[in-house]
Amino acid sequence: MPEPARFAVDGRAEIAAVVVTYGSAECLDPLLADLRAEAAGLALRVIIADNSPTDETLAVARRHADVIAVPTGGNLGYAGGVNVGLAHAGDAETVAVLNPDLRLRPGALAAMLAELRADPRRGVVVPRIVDETGATTTSLFREPTALRALGDALLGRMWASRPSGLSETVRDPGAYLSPRDVDWATGAALLFSAAAVAATGEWDERFFLYSEETDILRRVRNAGFAVRYTPEAVVEHAQGGSGSSPALDALLEVNRIRYMRLHAPHRAETHRAMLILGARLRGRRAAVTALREESTWDALPAATWCGTGSPIAAVVIPARDEAAVIERTLAALAEPAAAGSVEVVVVCNGCADDTAERARRFAGVRVIELPAGSKPAAINAGLDATTTRPVFILDADIALPSATIPTLVRALRAPGAAGGRPPFAYDLDGAAPAVRAYYRARSRVPALSSALWGAGVYALSAEALARVAPLPAVVADDVWADSRVTERRIPRVVPVQVRAPRTSAALLATLTRVRRGPAELGVDTGTGTLAALLRTATTPARLGDAAVYAAFAVAARGRVRSAARGTWERDLSTRVAFG
């Protein structure tokens, strides 16, 4: 018998196949056998990115010496797993993203590759998907709209050939008989050109599971490439491979709203109403609750990371009388800190409460106490106490999702990257109407969300630290860092929640302090903001929000000029005890 074909561990590959696994030990060997058959005619590299909580799946993968098996360090979700795998793709003409429970019909990858090569304008090719009986499944979709959501809510699977404007799903069997360009497709099997991968970058980890393929394929189309369906390539896949539960059902619907907010925010609420209608008509109570009550979203399945072995980053947390919030902040880092995957140092400076005692309750957390209250001195002490780089500077009231850490570390390893931070969102629960108006306006100005400051956390590479540290005695450490690090990365990860002040007085105090820092450094962080703000005032409501923003900004600048040097305005309205 001929020797089985080998996978290309290094060198040039025609296809680098990324397979994201989670408890996939039983189905992995059959897929690898199919891939090995495909490798008889292709230079094929295989990467397993394993999100599993145990090593069983990795053990199966590692029985194959020519398979690149990579533990992700937690359950990073499908998008996070893909991103880990992409980092190991190497020199490849194309990248295939495959579910682990797929079976490939002979020649499937070759047919997809031929279709991709046939036209340089094609960025992704998707195959025909069949079930265990060989019947073609509905795997092609149209861009989501409120009208299509309404059509699907009212008609469901009825009237398969209804007009395209009334259904997101392509249900007409005739549409699956010939090649065609599509908006998006089920993410079970996707073949990307290297050019499309380079144009779109990493997958969006904010989705965890569901809608991540809708997002990446939209970005492929936005980059000028086509998404091509070919029935000549056939794969077998049982639908619902991710499992089913009320929580996953709710997550699926919630991620549809997240997608709309990202790509069509002005239509998101109308779309949500249509999804609620559909969920109600089908008796999906968990989905209805999640769609109606945004406060439940934090309890839905989400990415987690604890890592293994040596630390990959350090986290320095300056804290002064933060007993009310320090446990919430450290709880988010508890697993990787206890596993030794991150160095976590809390520097209590001038504390008169039990912040230090509360922080010491967490395994793997080191506590340093300084007698004087000084945030720059606390950060410098934390930097001196850590050895791992990059380092995250984290405010004591910001809960940093653990799964953000490996993604940001990976972003800082990219050529030309020196500093970065996760995206952020404002938690406005319980905030006064004027405060809500201010932050609505602020969120519409892109320039205010592209700097290192504003999120309560930023990360610096070793090279960037050489420019930034030791920090001088400045009020705004993040503005100081931002002024010296222009090579920034803000990856697509779950945003940190920044708790906005609850009252107008608290907001004014916060803005005064925030403005004092840049003024001290001779930096005007509001340059160009007024013009950008006016461009967002496209409706009377938005104009009102802009006016509120401007009033607070002017008042804060006036207070900066009149306040005594050394004054520290502190927002106590958000200091709510943990637990």
Side-chain angles (χ1 to χ4, degrees):
M1 292 182 61
E3 287 290 323
R6 292 187 56 78
F7 299 131
V9 176
D10 50 29
R12 178 70 170 175
E14 291 174 281
I15 300 176
V18 174
V19 183
V20 179
T21 54
Y22 183 87
S24 308
E26 291 186 3
C27 60
L28 189 55
D29 264 337
L31 173 61
L32 290 175
D34 290 348
L35 287 170
R36 205 169 289 284
E38 296 287 298
L42 293 169
L44 178 62
R45 180 172 297 120
V46 177
I47 304 107
I48 306 298
D50 187 42
N51 278 330
S52 303
T54 69
D55 291 336
E56 293 179 25
T57 302
L58 281 174
V60 173
R62 286 170 175 164
R63 289 203 295 262
H64 301 261
D66 54 352
V67 168
I68 301 170
V70 185
T72 65
N75 185 6
L76 302 187
Y78 197 71
V82 169
N83 289 337
V84 170
L86 286 174
H88 296 269
D91 183 10
E93 177 188 350
T94 66
V95 174
V97 176
L98 307 173
N99 276 16
D101 54 346
L102 276 181
R103 297 303 307 271
L104 304 177
R105 296 289 174 85
L109 290 184
M112 293 170 73
L113 182 60
E115 191 76 9
L116 192 61
R117 286 171 169 169
D119 189 337
R121 293 171 297 179
R122 293 172 186 164
V124 175
V125 169
V126 300
R128 181 163 64 94
I129 300 179
V130 300
D131 62 19
E132 299 92 330
T133 70
T136 300
T137 63
T138 53
S139 61
L140 305 180
F141 300 88
R142 305 179 183 98
E143 185 62 24
T145 67
L147 183 58
R148 285 171 177 157
L150 176 61
D152 287 334
L154 297 177
L155 299 172
R157 297 178 182 273
M158 297 185 295
W159 191 15
S161 60
R162 62 183 179 262
S164 61
L166 293 177
S167 182
E168 184 178 334
T169 305
V170 179
R171 301 188 187 279
D172 184 0
Y176 292 82
L177 299 179
S178 58
R180 65 186 60 238
D181 291 347
V182 298
D183 286 346
W184 65 281
T186 298
L190 307 168
L191 183 67
F192 294 77
S193 69
V197 172
T200 55
E202 292 195 329
W203 287 41
D204 196 324
E205 297 181 26
R206 287 172 287 191
F207 291 110
F208 181 64
L209 190 64
Y210 308 125
S211 292
E212 70 277 356
E213 72 267 62
T214 320
D215 173 79
I216 192 68
L217 295 180
R218 181 185 178 117
R219 287 194 275 135
V220 166
R221 301 196 315 276
N222 287 348
F225 297 99
V227 179
R228 185 73 171 175
Y229 163 74
T230 175
E232 300 303 315
V234 182
V235 303
E236 181 182 317
H237 185 237
Q239 298 301 302
S242 299
S244 179
S245 69
L248 289 176
D249 187 38
L251 180 64
L252 185 149
E253 300 299 335
V254 164
N255 276 354
R256 289 177 174 173
I257 298 304
R258 287 172 170 151
Y259 174 86
M260 294 303 293
R261 287 182 175 176
L262 186 62
H263 294 291
H266 58 291
R267 300 200 306 265
E269 289 310 304
T270 303
H271 202 93
R272 170 149 57 173
M274 300 303 101
L275 294 178
I276 290 173
L277 174 63
R280 281 189 179 279
L281 291 175
R282 285 157 186 78
R284 298 161 61 200
R285 296 174 60 185
V288 171
T289 299
L291 287 167
R292 287 174 57 89
E293 300 175 20
E294 200 159 329
S295 61
T296 66
W297 291 11
D298 286 343
L300 295 175
T304 59
W305 177 80
C306 64
T308 56
S310 302
I312 66 168
V315 179
V316 172
I317 306 174
R320 183 178 184 184
D321 291 341
E322 298 287 10
V325 295
I326 192 65
E327 289 171 294
R328 178 176 60 217
T329 298
L330 292 176
L333 302 172
E335 286 194 73
S341 302
V342 290
E343 289 185 81
V344 179
V345 177
V346 176
V347 186
C348 298
N349 56 107
C351 286
D353 63 5
D354 63 343
T355 299
E357 288 75 10
R358 290 173 182 263
R360 287 191 177 99
R361 297 171 188 169
F362 290 84
V365 173
R366 180 180 175 186
V367 177
I368 297 173
E369 296 187 71
L370 303 180
S374 167
K375 188 177 182 182
I379 293 173
N380 289 334
L383 294 175
D384 290 341
T386 58
T387 58
T388 309
R389 299 293 180 262
V391 63
F392 290 67
I393 310 300
L394 178 65
D395 285 356
D397 62 334
I398 298 294
L400 176 68
S402 64
T404 296
I405 295 173
T407 304
L408 199 47
V409 168
R410 193 168 59 245
L412 291 184
R413 289 173 180 162
R421 62 162 174 80
F424 61 88
Y426 294 111
D427 175 2
L428 297 170
D429 186 33
V435 174
R436 290 175 176 271
Y438 173 89
Y439 282 105
R440 282 197 302 267
R442 191 189 194 285
S443 66
R444 296 184 186 121
V445 181
L448 296 179
S449 299
S450 60
L452 288 183
W453 49 266
V457 55
Y458 58 95
L460 300 173
S461 68
E463 189 272 334
L465 273 174
R467 295 183 239 161
V468 171
L471 273 72
V474 295
V475 172
D477 61 285
D478 47 4
V479 176
W480 168 264
D482 183 78
S483 68
R484 281 152 177 75
V485 181
T486 58
E487 315 93 317
R488 309 174 192 125
R489 296 292 186 274
I490 303 177
R492 296 180 176 93
V493 291
V494 175
V496 295
Q497 295 294 313
V498 177
R499 287 177 61 80
R502 272 33 189 171
T503 66
S504 295
L507 174 58
L508 184 57
T510 298
L511 294 178
T512 303
R513 186 188 74 243
V514 168
R515 176 60 201 146
R516 178 177 289 110
E520 180 183 56
L521 295 170
V523 176
D524 187 355
T525 56
T527 301
T529 300
L530 179 59
L533 195 63
L534 289 175
R535 285 194 293 270
T536 71
T538 55
T539 67
R542 289 189 171 198
L543 180 60
D545 290 345
V548 171
Y549 181 99
F552 274 111
V554 170
R557 285 172 179 257
R559 287 185 59 171
V560 167
R561 288 192 293 268
S562 62
R565 183 174 177 84
T567 303
W568 180 266
E569 294 83 358
R570 183 180 178 88
D571 171 26
L572 298 177
S573 70
T574 58
R575 263 42 182 195
V576 180
F578 173 75

